[in-house]
Amino acid sequence: MTKWLDSQGIDEDVVVSTRIRLARNIEKYKFPNLIDMEEADKITEDILNALMEVEEKYLFYRNRDLDQFERNSFVEKHLISPNLSEKVDYGSFFLRKDEKSTIMINEEDHIRIQVLLAGLDLEEGWKVCSAIDDELEKSIKFAFHERFGYLTACPTNVGTGLRASVMLHLPALSVSGQMNNIMEGLRKMGLTVRGLYGEGSKALGNLYQISNQTSIGEKEEDVIKKINKIILQIIARERNTREHILEKKGIQAEDKVFRSLGILNYSRVMSMVEAMSHLSNVKFGTDMGLIDKIESKEIVKLMLDIQPASIQKYQKGEKDSDHMIQTDVLRGQTLREKLKILEG
Amino acid sequence: MTKWLDSQGIDEDVVVSTRIRLARNIEKYKFPNLIDMEEADKITEDILNALMEVEEKYLFYRNRDLDQFERNSFVEKHLISPNLSEKVDYGSFFLRKDEKSTIMINEEDHIRIQVLLAGLDLEEGWKVCSAIDDELEKSIKFAFHERFGYLTACPTNVGTGLRASVMLHLPALSVSGQMNNIMEGLRKMGLTVRGLYGEGSKALGNLYQISNQTSIGEKEEDVIKKINKIILQIIARERNTREHILEKKGIQAEDKVFRSLGILNYSRVMSMVEAMSHLSNVKFGTDMGLIDKIESKEIVKLMLDIQPASIQKYQKGEKDSDHMIQTDVLRGQTLREKLKILEG
């Protein structure tokens, strides 16, 4: 499902993934929300030309050549944004063959470079992003303001256009009630903490996404370094708390892990919220060596797989409706089947 | 473990077992609480002589020839009472080779005849009890009062000395909140309703024991008929409620059943109260055809197996102590191992 996750990442017992995103716009065109079809195609053409030399590393897709199902599957694999998938006529994207980077065209900005890596790898992510940025800049003149920096459709991205985010699995800090404090501290340092699906979404499965809040007034390398340093501190604290839990309440922690595995293996109706909570417990178990039959990364994949392609769509769904129950029944079935394979 | 359970019983989807007990005392001796060793041995001798003709059907055990562990294992199999097992010097018993009946000597009364059958089988139980009673009466003169009937150590047993009890599994009536009403009605009809382990114990695992409260003023056959009629009504009501639950909330009921099976299969710490509740759900699942890999009777055996030999001893145990946790860990392990075998 998710190729980019397959490679070995750093600090993967705590860090699920690193994502770097650069927003760029071409000076001579209006922002995507103001363009027409003709202009959208010209933008796409310019970018195709700019990337000609590195083309063989990528697959190129135009949204209009894909059906709804195909577009959704790219979203589900986190390779393109839900926003891009909705730009049926204007949108297109380059996908690197190893699926580690995507260049989205006519999303919120003309160009969104995205790099996704397993584990903690901010510097590598930045390097890849920056190389693509350099490649584009050879032939494209970006919208740039001497005082503000790169110009973007949304003011929060003005400046470097950089968003660096790291997804962490923090079961021990969550269960021991330390997360509120940590989130407060991160906010004071200009970082944002969100649940798996961005703004306002709850931290399902104890997955937290930490990223820089603004991209103005700081150099890219400094932002990357700052976030990296903070993440390393959180990793250490999470690991300490895990050890502490296993020392003090080992058998109870093991019990919780295996009960979750049992419920996932046997239940017939499973909501997304409950599934994420059990998967989080199981991931804790695999990372701490309590479960040895299952690889931790496989649990991460399940966590990502069961996410609805669009959280908005999910949240709008009526609760307790027959449709909801059918979805929960299907989710239960999928989880049972996948775990049966993983447990061997 | 429990031979008497192995035979096919009637209405076993609701009725776990039928137990008939007759209390008798020999006229020429004092009640067991007043006798000395010499008298105890004389009583035993009289009964041995009386049963000489049917002896080959039985195994005879003197408590003093058994060690604590052996005595406990008879208690755990429900073949003798905890009370008899404590009479280390005075107690002895005949056990029929198919384990369906026991004749306990010097328990609360000189003689306690007990018949245990799988499913609902009050008439057969009474027939077996009565035949043993007749055999004994050929050579023994029982303590008998013209107006009161058979005399016993405890006044509640005076009269026929008969206690007929039926153990029912009533998950649907329990979950739908009908049990309080039913218990109230049964009490008005002179019947007692108790949990698995008798007086005051909660109905663990939705197992209810229904029996006659007194044994005075009614003929044995009438008591048996009356209880049988009432039990048949409760069975019908339980079955209707089960069907209703499956019709209205089929997938939720199935989910509950399989979650319990999953938790039993995976948990590392399991209290007796929780285990009984999950086993009850699983038994419901096997009886309703939701689980087909496991036989319902095997779940009943697990329910009986995990009972502590003496509920008093169990209730006295300190909660949250290390010993409690060790027991719960061991119980979890035993259940996992046994279920693994049952699921194949």
Side-chain angles (χ1 to χ4, degrees), chain B residues 44 252 287 311 322:
Chain B
T44 310
Q252 285 88 345
D287 287 327
I311 192 76
D322 279 358

Side-chain angles (χ1 to χ4, degrees), chain A residues 99-206:
Chain A
E99 296 193 351
K100 284 184 184 172
S101 69
T102 315
I103 302 154
M104 291 184 272
I105 300 170
N106 294 328
E107 207 243 24
E108 189 181 293
D109 296 297
H110 296 145
I111 302 165
R112 287 266 173 125
I113 308 166
Q114 173 186 283
V115 176
L116 256 175
L117 299 169
L120 180 64
D121 216 348
L122 284 160
E123 304 209 352
E124 171 67 14
W126 166 242
K127 226 174 75 186
V128 174
C129 250
S130 182
I132 298 168
D133 186 38
D134 292 346
E135 191 66 32
L136 287 164
E137 215 163 14
K138 284 182 193 168
S139 59
I140 289 174
K141 191 163 167 37
F142 290 138
F144 187 84
H145 184 281
E146 252 181 45
R147 221 177 103 209
F148 301 131
Y150 292 99
L151 299 177
T152 53
C154 175
T156 56
N157 297 319
V158 168
T160 58
L162 171 75
R163 174 139 305 163
S165 44
V166 177
M167 197 197 288
L168 298 152
H169 182 232
L170 303 174
L173 291 175
S174 302
V175 84
S176 62
Q178 298 179 62
M179 277 315 294
N180 280 344
N181 256 339
I182 290 174
M183 290 198 281
E184 190 57 33
L186 289 170
R187 275 186 208 109
K188 282 181 189 157
M189 289 183 279
L191 299 180
T192 304
V193 188
R194 297 181 297 192
L196 180 55
Y197 247 92
E199 325 276 358
S201 62
K202 269 185 64 188
L204 292 178
N206 301 314

Side-chain angles (χ1 to χ4, degrees), chain B residues 159-189:
Chain B
T160 57
L162 170 75
R163 174 140 303 165
S165 44
V166 177
M167 196 197 288
L168 298 153
H169 182 233
L170 303 175
L173 291 175
S174 303
V175 84
S176 62
Q178 297 178 62
M179 277 316 294
N180 280 345
N181 256 337
I182 290 173
M183 290 198 282
E184 189 57 34
L186 290 169
R187 275 186 207 111
K188 282 182 187 158
M189 289 183 279

